[in-house]
Amino acid sequence: MIMSEVFELLRKEKRRQRNGLVLIASENYISPDALKILGSEFSNKYAEGQVGKRYYSGNDWVDGIEQLAIESAKKVFGVPHCNVQSYSGSPANLAILSVLCEKKKDIVLSQELTHGGHLSMGQKASLTGRFFKTEHYRLTRRGEVNWGELEKMTRRLKPRVIFSGGTAYTKKFDFKRYADIAAKVGAYFVADVSHVAGLVVAGVHPDPAVYADVVMTTSHKTLRGGRGALIMVTKRGLAKDESLGRKIDRAVFPGLQGGPHMNNIASIAVALKEAQEIAFKKYGRRVVKNAKALAESLLRYDFKLIGGATENHMIWIDLTKKGIDGWALQVALEAAGIYTNRQTIPNDPKSAYYPSGLRLGTPAITTRGMQEAQMRLIAEWIEVISKITLEYYSEDIGSGNYAKDQEARKIFKEKVFADKRIKKLKKEVREFCKKWPLFKW
Ligand code: DSN
């Protein structure tokens, strides 16, 4: 019985992914090979330890897989050391900090959460923020790192670690500038490139390995592998501490984890092989072109974008001028089969749960083969849906009265899901998606 329920849910999820437009900047579709290996017998194996030094027997072939993933990562990112065992980006950042910082003593500087930062880089709600002293730099009104503030904070606080990266940023990361600032106080510079890793590999984003001491990336966003993380130590990092690689390995296992998920490491190995193909470079270029085209079309509809445009795969919309919030537009778009996520904007007057912004991204729709013309149509749909959102957006939403706000949001949701125009759009989206099959690439 349970099995039929599970597979019924899987069938529905597959249909949702096929028939909908995934505009969540951190999501993507992995290849049939990467997907197949995730459900393989590699899932059955315990392999605590490192390649060639495991605690259980029977590791010949999983050793082979992990070594393949490591060597591919080193080649693709041009680094001398890589750990591929971390379960995902958040534990990877915790592992890195546990090596570089002394608990409750050393200071970590990272991008402010509401300015696009990520929980795992020392935000108070995360263990990284409880274990380490953390301070945050912000973005300017133009959506760029506030370099002046970062420099001043660095001189004043003398951090042990400076992070670049986060969950929302639409400029190219200026890794050299980060490294120069970190060098002034002898801080480690850790580049979290989870969002842009695939763009780095495709050569359409600056390379962090030249400037950072440690580079961390998740493996499933623009890199298009199973869900895990790579922690890479660069030549610079090893020049500072020649045992940094070994320390990172030990922080992951036994520090934070038990057995690595070998099926996932195998999937990462597949993705890293695919990332070396010419087709992947084309894909990366197309992701950025599509994002720029989508941003330009949205600007024509008078959407305000943080950063004014985009230089990567992501579009960060400030909805304050439109008179609606990110939650409402996210819900209305979902009703039409268009998936996005709400996002705080710098100095957001609203809350993190009901913020003023929305984040879009082109990695998944580019995997399906879409190009500029399709971006114009998607922008048009977003415009139409934002107008319907405004129609149903009652003044009780965000009024400050919790009970009224919740009731108004419930009614809003019911109305948009029942709206005939949105239902019609959902059908259009579904028909459109049929033209862009998932695994054509
Ligand atoms: N949840 C990811 C994102 O959407 O950016 C980061 O962990």
Side-chain angles (χ1 to χ4, degrees), residues 24 26 118 166-167 195 221 341 359:
I24 293 174
S26 47
H118 192 262
T167 205
H195 267 273
K221 296 186 174 85
N341 72 278
R359 192 186 65 165

Side-chain angles (χ1 to χ4, degrees), residues 50 80-83 92 95-101 160-161 186-191 211-215 231-253:
Q50 309 297 335
H81 183 92
C82 181
N83 181 292
I96 293 166
L97 290 177
S98 75
V99 169
L100 299 182
C101 296
R160 174 83 170 156
V161 169
Y188 280 93
F189 167 36
V190 181
Y211 299 109
D213 300 302
V214 178
V215 178
I231 308 177
M232 296 172 269
V233 182
T234 64
K235 282 189 195 141
R236 275 176 93 118
L238 287 183
K240 275 188 181 154
D241 177 355
E242 61 178 9
S243 58
L244 195 51
R246 284 193 300 280
K247 286 178 183 165
I248 296 271
D249 288 346
R250 277 202 300 271
V252 175
F253 171 83

Side-chain angles (χ1 to χ4, degrees), residues 1-9:
M1 185 60 191
I2 272 237
M3 286 309 282
S4 62
E5 275 176 49
V6 169
F7 282 102
E8 179 57 11
L9 289 169

Side-chain angles (χ1 to χ4, degrees), residues 324 327-337 384-394 397 408-426:
I324 53 180
W327 173 88
L329 186 52
Q330 176 191 310
V331 167
L333 286 167
E334 182 171 7
V384 170
I385 294 168
S386 75
K387 285 195 166 137
I388 299 174
T389 303
L390 184 60
E391 244 177 67
Y392 292 133
Y393 196 83
S394 97
I397 296 183
R409 287 186 193 273
K410 190 167 151 267
I411 293 168
F412 172 87
K413 198 168 175 176
E414 284 163 7
K415 280 186 177 162
V416 289
F417 271 86
D419 186 275
K420 287 206 177 81
R421 295 161 297 176
I422 291 197
K423 280 188 176 163
K424 189 164 162 274
L425 266 174
K426 187 172 186 178

